[in-house]
Amino acid sequence: MSHATAVQDRPTPPTGPAPKSGLSSRSLPRLAPVGFAAVSIALAVGLGLAAGWHSKVQWGMIAALFFLAISYVATTIVENKRQAKDRLATSIVWVCFLLAVIPLASLLWTTIVRGAERLDGYFLTHSMAGVLGSEASGGVYHALIGTLEQVGIATVLSAPLGLLTAVYLVEYGKGALARAVTFFVDVMTGIPSIVAGLFILSIMLIANLEPSGLMGALALTILMIPVVVRSTEEMLKLVPNELREASLALGIPKWRTILKVVLPTAIGGITTGVMLAIARIAGETAPIILLVFGSQLINANPFSGAQSSLPFYIYEQYKIGEAASYDRAWAAALVLIAFVMILNLVARGIARWKAPKTGR
């Protein structure tokens, strides 16, 4: 065969553009989503102004739709459809995250700005005794004492009960009794706070008891127990069975294994669950209205006489309807948020301190 014939038989390479493979080598810059967001916001603002929409919520929703569309189209053109679908899913996650965070951040910012105007040392160390609703004086001291005592009593009552119930369900519970306890715990988790208040109120009427901080704490205990049980139960289930088996293999009794191995291993999650339960009850108002009645005076005895609390104080000041009372309500709301945040920080510190030490 001659050299010319061999050259003619050799296949010629395609002259058109190379087909796009499934894994394209081209990719968008890392900051491309930031650019997409900027363009989307600009388009949404422009469209909103042109259409005469003054709601920033509408602008935000339109910007989110533009962001999803631009991200998908640009990724499809530059990369490929598979990467575009992946970026679209990621963008949806980010949009949902922002939709959830923005209201929370806005609420926190508004509370800080409005509450900081009235929050000072005088506000924290004085009560509302002899203060009219329209006056700018008065403080939250009596409500703060009531909240600390009522939440403290509820925690002292519910934490041991919830912890022991969870230990029973995980370590010992079998059969119909365990299933019944689990069912009632699930039911009590969603019980409205007003129902717990009415239950304690019925006991008060039968036993002819007077309103007091203790009665409110008992209602809060009912609300707190199922949260403690459920969170503690899940934490105990996460403890590896190998730890239990190793302890039992050494001849250690089961109760001591639970006390020295299981609980210390799960103490971080248990503490966090208790703090979540405290945060759940710290803002309850309905049981306090029914059982504690509220008071303008300082009452440090939770077992006798009416008391106030931070949620009831906020409700009370808002109901007055004066500018000064609104300021006090925002300041009390800021104190309540700070109270919950401090509890969470303390819980994290205790959990880190009591967490089992791991070697290398």
Side-chain angles (χ1 to χ4, degrees):
M1 182 180 295
S2 63
H3 178 70
T5 305
V7 172
Q8 292 177 359
D9 294 339
R10 185 180 301 169
T12 58
T15 57
K20 204 171 189 179
S21 63
L23 295 174
S24 176
S25 59
R26 295 185 299 174
S27 61
L28 290 169
R30 179 174 298 181
L31 296 179
V34 178
F36 297 158
V39 174
S40 302
I41 293 173
L43 291 176
V45 172
L47 180 61
L49 293 176
W53 297 334
H54 301 289
S55 175
K56 294 182 180 179
V57 176
Q58 292 178 324
W59 294 2
M61 297 298 294
I62 295 173
L65 295 177
F66 274 129
F67 177 73
L68 295 177
I70 293 173
S71 299
Y72 181 78
V73 173
T75 307
T76 302
I77 295 174
V78 177
E79 299 178 3
N80 52 63
K81 285 190 176 182
R82 190 176 71 172
Q83 295 294 337
K85 293 179 181 179
D86 178 76
R87 189 177 293 274
L88 177 62
T90 305
S91 301
I92 292 175
V93 170
W94 275 103
V95 169
C96 293
F97 168 75
L98 291 176
L99 289 177
V101 168
I102 288 175
L104 297 177
S106 176
L107 175 62
L108 182 61
W109 175 255
T110 303
T111 305
I112 293 175
V113 172
R114 296 290 301 272
E117 297 177 357
R118 185 67 181 81
L119 184 61
D120 52 19
Y122 175 86
F123 183 76
L124 295 175
T125 56
H126 287 75
S127 68
M128 292 295 295
V131 179
L132 298 178
S134 58
E135 296 180 4
S137 58
V140 76
Y141 181 69
H142 62 299
L144 184 58
I145 289 179
T147 294
L148 291 175
E149 291 181 346
Q150 294 159 25
V151 172
I153 294 173
T155 303
V156 170
L157 294 176
S158 61
L161 291 175
L163 177 60
L164 294 176
T165 303
V167 170
Y168 166 76
L169 292 175
V170 175
E171 303 294 338
Y172 297 99
K174 293 180 181 179
L177 179 59
R179 290 193 296 269
V181 172
T182 302
F183 172 76
F184 283 112
V185 167
D186 292 337
V187 171
M188 289 179 63
T189 302
I191 188 173
S193 60
I194 190 66
V195 175
L198 289 173
F199 174 73
I200 300 299
L201 180 62
S202 64
I203 296 177
M204 289 174 55
L205 296 177
I206 293 174
N208 196 22
L209 299 175
E210 296 181 355
S212 64
L214 177 62
M215 297 297 104
L218 292 178
L220 298 180
T221 301
I222 296 175
L223 299 173
M224 188 174 176
I225 286 177
V227 181
V228 175
V229 172
R230 180 57 63 209
S231 60
T232 304
E233 183 181 1
E234 295 301 324
M235 290 301 104
L236 294 179
K237 288 180 180 178
L238 293 177
V239 177
N241 286 327
E242 289 78 4
L243 296 178
R244 298 179 176 89
E245 295 171 355
S247 177
L248 295 174
L250 296 174
I252 300 176
K254 187 170 184 178
W255 69 268
R256 195 171 181 85
T257 298
I258 295 172
L259 188 62
K260 296 294 185 180
V261 176
V262 177
L263 292 180
T265 303
I267 189 62
I270 293 173
T271 306
T272 302
V274 173
M275 291 301 105
L276 290 176
I278 293 176
R280 157 81 167 83
I281 66 172
E284 291 294 343
T285 309
I288 307 302
I289 296 176
L290 287 175
L291 307 173
V292 184
F293 280 17
S295 175
Q296 305 293 329
L297 306 177
I298 299 174
N299 181 13
N301 184 6
F303 304 101
S304 176
Q307 270 191 330
S308 185
S309 69
L310 288 174
F312 182 82
Y313 180 87
I314 296 170
Y315 163 77
E316 187 179 43
Q317 295 301 314
Y318 179 80
K319 187 174 65 174
I320 294 174
E322 299 288 342
S325 65
Y326 287 153
D327 293 338
R328 287 192 292 266
W330 281 109
L334 182 57
V335 172
L336 182 59
I337 292 176
F339 172 70
V340 175
M341 291 182 64
I342 291 173
L343 286 178
N344 280 275
L345 292 176
V346 171
R348 289 179 178 273
I350 295 175
R352 185 180 296 273
W353 175 44
K354 290 294 186 179
K357 304 298 187 293
T358 57
R360 294 182 59 185

